[in-house]
Amino acid sequence: MGEMGEIRHHGEDSEDDSNHIHLPKKSKLSSFITQSQIQQEFAHHQPDVARLNNGSFGSCPGSIIAAQKRWQLKFLQQPDDFFFNQLPTQILRSRTLIKDIINADDVSEVSIVDNATTAAAIVLQHVGWAFAEGRFNKGDAVVMLHCAFQAVKKSIEAYVTRAGGSVIVVHLPFPIHSNDEIISEFRKGLARGKANGRKVRLAIIDHITSMPSLIIPVRELVKICREEGVSQVFVDAAHAVGSVSVDVKDIGADFYVSNLHKWFFCPPSVALLYCRKSSLSSELHHPVVSHEYGNGLAVESAWIGTRDYSSQLLVPEVIDFINRFEGGIEGIRNRNHEAVVEMAEMLAKAWGTSLGSPPEMCPSMAMIGLPSSLGVLSDDDALRLRNHLRDQFKVEVPIHYQPLKDLEVGSREEGVDLITGYARISHQRVKSEGKCYHFILFTPAEDKRKDISLNGSFEDA
């Protein structure tokens, strides 16, 4: 047996004992983290920047960064021992904990990859091969939402369309008022995909869209896919774990990916890829081909050559950190949602605008309409405003341009302020003893900076 065979053997032995690995118990009330400890955990953050963009890169605590450095040092001190004796067991431990977090049936359904981009490449490579090898007919369709991540769109281009697949894009309305609008447009997209005798071979559904940000009714859309005979369903949930509740068995998709460095306090970059156990499981492969090719996606993903695997080993430490907060991850999720809606409504009131969706469709992010006086009339305008807020006011917040519909343009009346620009604010709060952080926001409607405390009060800075 070769070297990589030895690693696989270690992993298989450990997997037999996976039932003995359990999620750590939540901390007792007396051991909850204190406010001073919270400040220490995030003291490495640039103190004069209002980073309202947790959704892009997350926030990693100092204790987790220290734990990562310890894993990196273990590898550098004795790479052979780390490679043969520690890495397989520790990756399996992380996979087992993730299995419980997302309520998967078996640890074999869980792979750890770098990020959602890598997971999308794995799934779309698999679909592209099916077209290229004749298992799917040329012209059969992939259905996706128009606001899918750009990396997903590029993977479709790289793997699917060049192999003969067609793409149906479902355009969701925004601003949006209910899930019914999403469901209606999605049904229309599936109907277009099935036109002229074609089959829909893959539906790609976001759990939380990035820009504009919305919670998508994934369970309902997956159910519709099953009813309409869609071959496979891939849920791109890059923002989900740590931001909304995730139960992959209840959702029912074939594939589900979520980053752990956005809302789950892991360092970049680490993501889970759930692949429901089926006859397709053996056909999935990591796009980076290494020694473990052919031994199952989870094993392939656990070794793709010499690189830094430390972020994938930290799931146990991150869970311990999360459980230092009242209510664990559920408590953090709930507080984030309540606070981001509160902040968004305060800003909308100050600016004389409105939210882009009902509060129940906001995760730990929210879209707030910007005053039309800011002149956000293109994607370039949105980028310039974002850069201006960063450079001049040290506010880091994504800006979204939303073109007006023809009906809206035609019905413009004097004095009516139609919204074309939205700010996407993120909220990642770790709260203790009733205290919370303060962030600086620029309020264009009043041309001044405001200090918004997360308990709901406005104070002039």
Side-chain angles (χ1 to χ4, degrees):
M1 183 179 294
E3 289 183 347
M4 298 307 295
E6 291 183 59
I7 288 184
R8 185 165 60 257
H9 177 70
H10 287 201
E12 289 172 350
D13 286 349
S14 300
E15 200 149 338
D16 291 339
D17 296 331
S18 62
N19 289 334
H20 298 291
I21 302 174
H22 303 286
L23 282 171
K25 295 181 179 179
K26 293 183 179 179
S27 304
K28 296 180 180 179
L29 183 62
S30 60
S31 60
F32 286 154
I33 193 168
T34 66
Q35 184 67 17
S36 62
Q37 289 171 333
I38 292 173
Q39 292 171 340
Q40 291 172 6
E41 287 283 6
F42 297 96
H44 56 282
H45 286 187
Q46 201 167 329
D48 59 345
V49 174
R51 195 166 71 88
L52 303 179
N53 187 27
N54 189 84
S56 287
F57 304 107
S59 300
C60 186
S63 60
I64 302 302
I65 296 172
Q68 182 179 30
K69 290 179 179 178
R70 290 194 293 271
W71 279 116
Q72 291 169 334
L73 187 58
K74 282 185 179 182
F75 168 69
L76 295 172
Q77 286 172 329
Q78 223 294 38
D80 296 87
D81 175 67
F82 182 84
F83 174 68
F84 288 115
N85 298 326
Q86 299 185 53
L87 181 62
T89 300
Q90 293 302 324
I91 285 185
L92 176 61
R93 177 169 174 79
S94 289
R95 288 172 51 213
T96 303
L97 293 172
I98 290 169
K99 173 188 78 71
D100 293 337
I101 290 168
I102 64 173
N103 194 33
D105 273 328
D106 193 90
V107 69
S108 64
E109 298 175 311
V110 178
S111 301
I112 298 180
V113 295
D114 286 349
N115 46 47
T117 301
T118 300
I122 291 169
V123 173
L124 290 165
Q125 172 186 255
H126 160 71
V127 173
W129 286 340
F131 278 105
E133 295 167 1
R135 287 177 281 125
F136 293 167
N137 295 326
K138 303 292 184 182
D140 282 351
V142 171
V143 173
M144 61 177 286
L145 306 183
H146 83 280
C147 44
F149 281 90
Q150 191 65 20
V152 173
K153 296 176 181 178
K154 292 296 184 181
S155 287
I156 291 174
E157 180 183 335
Y159 294 114
V160 177
T161 56
R162 69 182 299 172
S166 62
V167 180
I168 302 297
V169 179
V170 177
H171 289 270
L172 300 183
F174 189 83
I176 198 162
H177 303 95
S178 72
N179 285 333
D180 290 341
E181 296 175 74
I182 296 173
I183 292 170
S184 174
E185 293 303 315
F186 188 74
R187 286 188 181 277
K188 293 176 186 177
L190 290 183
R192 294 200 306 273
K194 294 170 66 176
N196 301 317
R198 295 183 303 182
K199 294 184 178 180
V200 177
R201 294 303 188 174
L202 179 71
I204 304 173
I205 304 169
D206 299 79
H207 196 161
I208 298 172
T209 57
S210 176
M211 190 70 93
S213 177
L214 301 166
I215 299 176
I216 301 296
V218 287
R219 183 177 178 276
E220 291 83 351
L221 297 190
V222 172
K223 183 180 179 182
I224 291 169
C225 288
R226 300 307 184 198
E227 294 169 352
E228 296 295 329
V230 175
S231 300
Q232 299 170 34
V233 183
F234 172 37
V235 173
D236 183 355
H239 283 277
V241 171
S243 184
V244 293
S245 177
V246 175
D247 185 332
V248 292
K249 285 192 288 189
D250 182 59
I251 292 169
D254 298 286
F255 314 109
Y256 188 99
V257 61
S258 186
N259 289 319
L260 298 182
H261 55 261
K262 287 184 181 289
W263 296 99
F264 203 69
F265 298 104
C266 286
S269 54
V270 55
L272 68 94
L273 175 57
Y274 163 82
C275 303
R276 189 172 64 169
K277 190 179 292 186
S278 70
S279 59
L280 297 174
S281 301
S282 62
E283 299 176 10
L284 294 164
H285 297 285
H286 198 285
V288 177
V289 177
S290 192
H291 291 276
E292 291 290 354
Y293 181 84
N295 292 315
L297 179 62
V299 175
E300 289 183 21
S301 300
W303 181 259
I304 54 171
T306 303
R307 49 150 292 178
D308 183 1
Y309 292 91
S310 59
S311 60
Q312 301 184 5
L313 310 182
L314 291 165
V315 175
E317 289 91 340
V318 170
I319 291 174
D320 285 340
F321 173 79
I322 287 170
N323 286 339
R324 295 169 68 189
F325 295 89
E326 184 176 0
I329 194 61
E330 183 179 0
I332 293 173
R333 282 199 316 259
N334 291 339
R335 290 189 290 270
N336 281 342
H337 169 73
E338 292 168 2
V340 81
V341 169
E342 182 181 11
M343 291 173 65
E345 290 177 340
M346 285 193 294
L347 285 171
K349 182 178 179 180
W351 295 343
T353 60
S354 59
L355 273 62
S357 70
E360 62 270 18
M361 297 181 74
C362 298
S364 299
M365 300 184 288
M367 305 294 296
I368 311 108
L370 295 168
S372 61
S373 58
L374 287 175
V376 179
L377 300 175
S378 68
D379 290 324
D380 287 341
D381 288 341
L383 181 59
R384 278 193 290 269
L385 177 57
R386 179 176 184 173
N387 291 340
H388 180 71
L389 291 172
R390 178 191 303 120
D391 297 341
Q392 298 299 318
F393 299 96
K394 296 190 176 181
V395 174
E396 190 62 64
V397 61
I399 304 297
H400 172 66
Y401 165 62
Q402 181 66 38
L404 294 176
K405 302 182 183 69
D406 291 339
L407 181 63
E408 292 173 327
V409 174
S411 65
R412 182 189 292 272
E413 300 176 2
E414 187 176 352
V416 174
D417 196 9
L418 296 177
I419 301 170
T420 57
Y422 288 82
R424 187 195 79 181
I425 63 170
S426 295
H427 192 283
Q428 178 63 295
R429 174 172 67 183
V430 281
K431 179 181 178 184
S432 178
E433 298 177 0
K435 300 177 183 177
C436 29
Y437 288 122
H438 290 66
F439 294 113
I440 301 295
L441 281 175
F442 178 59
T443 309
E446 301 176 16
D447 196 28
K448 65 174 69 174
R449 297 178 75 177
K450 292 287 189 177
D451 183 10
I452 301 178
S453 80
L454 303 186
N455 61 15
S457 63
F458 271 113
E459 298 172 4
D460 287 340

